[in-house]
């Protein structure tokens, strides 16, 4: 019952970050970033494994020092997910981490320094056959562009991106993806919209420094959601001031809401009111936790009464409709003879969902 999206994607060139293709209609990939100390190798590996379990496709790691570049090598050997090395200021760290196995390099050429240093990075990336993400942020535009535009505008961001693409192209480097992030939703969205018409490189979307889980998820869902719904964007990160696992969960839910990708249970639940016949909120929250391991896509509706319950249940793989003392439930839109005791809905639903998933395998 999970309908697929009919969004027409913008055409781009294709690059690969390790085993993950990006652009040219490849599935939209989810990225996140570790927030451990990179030199704390074991803790970083553990966090990457948790991100893998949550459904991340690509993980970015900050590499601020040569020690971190050395740690990167050991981390890389212990994880399956492609790793992007995030390097600022020091081109020597960039060279080192490419040699140490980075699947992609993220730089902001504006803070790397002179063209010779950028050339060295580009030659190294060419030799190791990895792509580079030109990551432009509204907060760190090149000085000449800041001077020209006086304040952060989409035009300034776009000029910085295009200038850096041109520079890398001049060095015969084409494996490029691009981000143009700002903490302001409209500034970001507008920049990506302009870029989508001007360049052929895949776009890495994001609303940077979006904030805590609540506000950051809202900003990201609006900004990234607007762009994805217009067919713009090939990979993205939800940036939250939170455990990065939350970033992946929110990202998956953005893709689910747009019917771009299905993974795990899509819960449909009513907001509840005095008509509810069982504890809908408690049931949804508990089942979300219990069923986190499920990757098979499935719509499950949990509705407190018959007002909206029947319609939702008929359109879900599994649905429960609140009725006094014993609620009715549906499988594939068909009402079942068996009823659920309202005090036992969580256990019963979990069993039925897991059984249904077993039968689909
Ligand atoms: Fe209230 Fe029923 Fe609507 Fe849920 S479905 S919000 S319980 S009227």
């Amino acid at each position: 019952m999970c309908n697929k999206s009919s969004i027409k994607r913008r055409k781009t060139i294709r690059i690969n970050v390790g085993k993950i293709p990006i652009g040219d209609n490849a599935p939209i990939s989810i990225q996140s970033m570790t927030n451990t100390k990179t030199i704390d190798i074991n803790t970083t590996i553990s966090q990457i494994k948790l991100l893998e379990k949550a459904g991340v496709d690509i993980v970015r790691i900050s590499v601020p020092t040569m020690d971190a570049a050395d740690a990167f090598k050991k981390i890389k050997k212990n994880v399956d997910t492609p790793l992007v090395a995030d390097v600022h200021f020091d081109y020597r760290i960039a060279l080192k981490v490419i040699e140490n196995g980075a699947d992609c390099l993220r730089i902001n050429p504006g803070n790397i320094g002179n063209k010779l240093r950028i050339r060295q990075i580009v030659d190294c990336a060419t030799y190791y056959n990895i792509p580079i993400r030109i990551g432009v942020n509204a907060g760190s535009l090149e000085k000449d562009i800041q001077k020209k535009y006086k304040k952060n505008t989409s035009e300034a961001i776009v000029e910085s991106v295009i200038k850096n693409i041109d520079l890398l192209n001049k060095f015969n480097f084409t494996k490029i993806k691009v981000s143009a992030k700002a903490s302001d939703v409209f500034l970001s969205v507008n920049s990506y919209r302009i870029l989508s018409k001007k360049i052929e490189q895949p776009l890495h979307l994001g609303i940077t420094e979006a904030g805590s889980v609540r506000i950051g998820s809202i900003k990201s869902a609006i900004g990234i959601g607007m762009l994805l719904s217009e067919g713009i964007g090939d990979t993205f990160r939800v940036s939250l001031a939170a455990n990065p696992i939350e970033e992946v969960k929110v990202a998956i839910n953005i893709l689910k809401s747009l019917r771009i990708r299905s993974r795990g249970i899509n819960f449909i639940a009513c907001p509840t009111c005095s008509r509810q016949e069982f504890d809908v909120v408690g049931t949804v929250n508990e089942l979300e936790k219990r069923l986190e391991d499920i990757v098979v896509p499935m719509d499950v509706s949990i509705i407190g009464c018959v007002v909206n319950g029947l319609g939702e249940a008929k359109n879900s793989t599994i649905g429960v409709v609140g009725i006094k003392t014993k609620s009715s439930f549906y499988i594939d839109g068909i009402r079942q003879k068996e009823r659920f005791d309202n005090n036992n809905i969580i256990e019963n639903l979990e069993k039925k969902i897991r059984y249904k998933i077993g039968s689909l395998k």
Side-chain angles (χ1 to χ4, degrees), residues 231-359:
I232 299 169
D234 305 282
T235 182
F236 69 103
R237 175 194 178 195
V238 171
S239 300
L240 298 178
N243 185 324
I245 310 298
E246 297 301 324
E247 298 186 347
V248 180
K249 287 183 187 171
V250 174
I252 289 173
N253 278 310
I254 290 174
L255 292 181
K256 269 195 211 170
S257 304
L258 292 168
R259 297 283 190 202
I260 288 173
R261 200 207 276 190
S262 310
R263 186 187 195 273
I265 311 286
N266 176 37
F267 284 106
I268 298 142
C270 72
T272 77
C273 70
S274 68
R275 288 181 196 272
Q276 70 173 338
E277 304 287 5
F278 67 95
D279 175 15
V280 172
V281 174
T283 303
V284 176
N285 287 340
E286 180 61 24
L287 282 171
E288 259 189 12
K289 268 190 247 150
R290 290 192 188 194
L291 300 173
E292 259 183 4
D293 59 303
I294 290 179
V295 292
V296 175
M298 180 181 285
D299 286 344
V300 172
S301 63
I302 300 172
I303 310 290
C305 81
V306 290
V307 172
N308 291 319
L310 303 183
E312 293 295 354
K314 282 181 183 165
N315 284 295
S316 302
T317 311
I318 291 190
V320 62
V321 183
I323 293 178
K324 275 196 191 344
T325 64
K326 286 197 168 197
S327 292
S328 61
F329 90 100
Y330 290 67
I331 297 180
D332 294 327
I334 298 166
R335 185 174 180 164
Q336 306 296 297
K337 282 197 185 119
E338 188 189 348
R339 306 259 298 264
F340 291 160
D341 185 317
N342 283 358
N343 295 319
N344 260 328
I345 285 188
I346 294 171
E347 283 67 29
N348 278 321
L349 259 181
E350 183 180 1
K351 260 191 234 153
K352 296 292 178 193
I353 291 167
R354 290 195 184 279
Y355 182 79
K356 180 70 182 166
I357 283 163
S359 75

Side-chain angles (χ1 to χ4, degrees), residues 26 35 40 45 59 175-176 196 207 244 257 278 340:
N35 63 2
D40 184 348
I45 291 171
V59 173
K175 288 190 170 85
I176 300 167
S196 72
I207 307 298
S257 304
F278 67 95
F340 291 160

